[in-house]
Amino acid sequence: MRLRHEYYCQVAHDMALKSCMNQKHGCVIVYNNEIIAQGMNRKYDAMKEVDSIHAEVNAINQLRKIMHKKDKNFIQKCKLYVVRIGTPNMDYPLKDSKPCSHCTKVIESVGIPEVYYSTNDDFYKAYDTYVKRRPNPSLFTANGRPTSCVVC
C-alpha cells in the first residue's frame, strides 16, 4: 500500500511541476488503484474575483465529466492526493498543501471520502471519511495524532 501512496504522490508532484504558478500544486484522484483525474493550479483570466483554479478543483472538474458514466457509489472508493512543491533551487521539496476552505467544501460536495496532502516533506491522510460528517474534518484524531501518515 505504501508504494501506491508514493506513486500517487509522485504523479501529483509531476503535475505540480507543470504549473506556471509561483506556488505549485498538483492533484490526482484515484479510483480502484487507477488515476482517473488529475489537475494542477493554474491562472484563470476569465474569472475577475479569482486569480487561479486550485489543483483540487481542476481535478474534480475532470472527475465530474466522468461521474455520470460510473456507478452511483463509485465516489466512495475515490481518494484525492494533493501536493505543493518548493522552488527549483530547493530541488522541489514537498510543502504544506492542506486544502483551503473552498476546496474542502468542493471535495465534500462531491463526496470524496479520503484526502491526502503534503506537509513539509511528509504526506498525511487528511480526513478519515466524510461519511461521518464531522463538523470540522481535520488531520488529527481525538488523541492528537495523525490518522495516517506515509512519506513521499
Side-chain angles (χ1 to χ4, degrees), residues 6-20 24-28 35 38-41 81-85 92 94:
E6 290 175 0
Y7 171 72
Y8 303 136
C9 179
Q10 185 60 51
V11 174
H13 182 279
D14 294 345
M15 285 301 298
L17 286 171
K18 297 177 183 179
S19 174
C20 64
K24 297 177 181 297
H25 289 76
C27 180
V28 297
I35 295 172
Q38 47 191 333
M40 67 193 135
N41 60 326
Y81 294 78
V82 61
V83 301
R84 177 170 68 110
I85 57 174
Y92 300 110
L94 293 177

Side-chain angles (χ1 to χ4, degrees), residues 46-52:
M47 296 173 66
K48 293 181 180 174
E49 61 277 344
V50 179
D51 292 333
S52 69

Side-chain angles (χ1 to χ4, degrees), residues 36-136:
I36 59 170
Q38 47 191 333
M40 67 193 135
N41 60 326
R42 60 182 175 84
K43 283 202 174 285
Y44 192 68
D45 297 327
M47 296 173 66
K48 293 181 180 174
E49 61 277 344
V50 179
D51 292 333
S52 69
I53 294 180
H54 291 194
E56 301 95 308
V57 173
N58 198 347
I60 288 170
N61 287 341
Q62 283 187 13
L63 178 70
R64 285 183 170 142
K65 292 176 184 177
I66 63 167
M67 283 177 70
H68 67 279
K69 299 175 188 175
K70 301 284 187 182
D71 176 89
K72 66 179 181 175
N73 296 320
F74 100 101
I75 201 74
Q76 294 303 315
K77 296 179 183 175
C78 288
K79 298 174 185 172
L80 184 143
Y81 294 78
V82 61
V83 301
R84 177 170 68 110
I85 57 174
T87 59
N89 65 337
M90 298 170 68
D91 198 25
Y92 300 110
L94 293 177
K95 305 300 273 177
D96 183 42
S97 66
K98 183 175 182 179
C100 70
S101 60
H102 172 73
C103 288
T104 300
K105 288 177 187 174
V106 173
I107 293 165
E108 198 170 40
S109 73
V110 172
I112 297 173
E114 290 185 46
V115 175
Y116 297 81
Y117 65 91
S118 60
T119 58
N120 296 331
D121 291 327
D122 287 328
F123 205 66
Y124 289 105
K125 179 178 176 183
Y127 311 121
D128 272 346
T129 176
Y130 283 113
V131 175
K132 293 180 183 175
R133 297 289 177 210
R134 286 185 270 171
N136 293 312

Side-chain angles (χ1 to χ4, degrees), residues 1-8 33 79 81 114 116 148 150:
M1 185 66 162
R2 179 182 167 102
L3 290 177
R4 282 192 201 133
H5 287 300
E6 290 175 0
Y7 171 72
Y8 303 136
N33 300 320
K79 298 174 185 172
Y81 294 78
E114 290 185 46
Y116 297 81
S148 176
V150 292

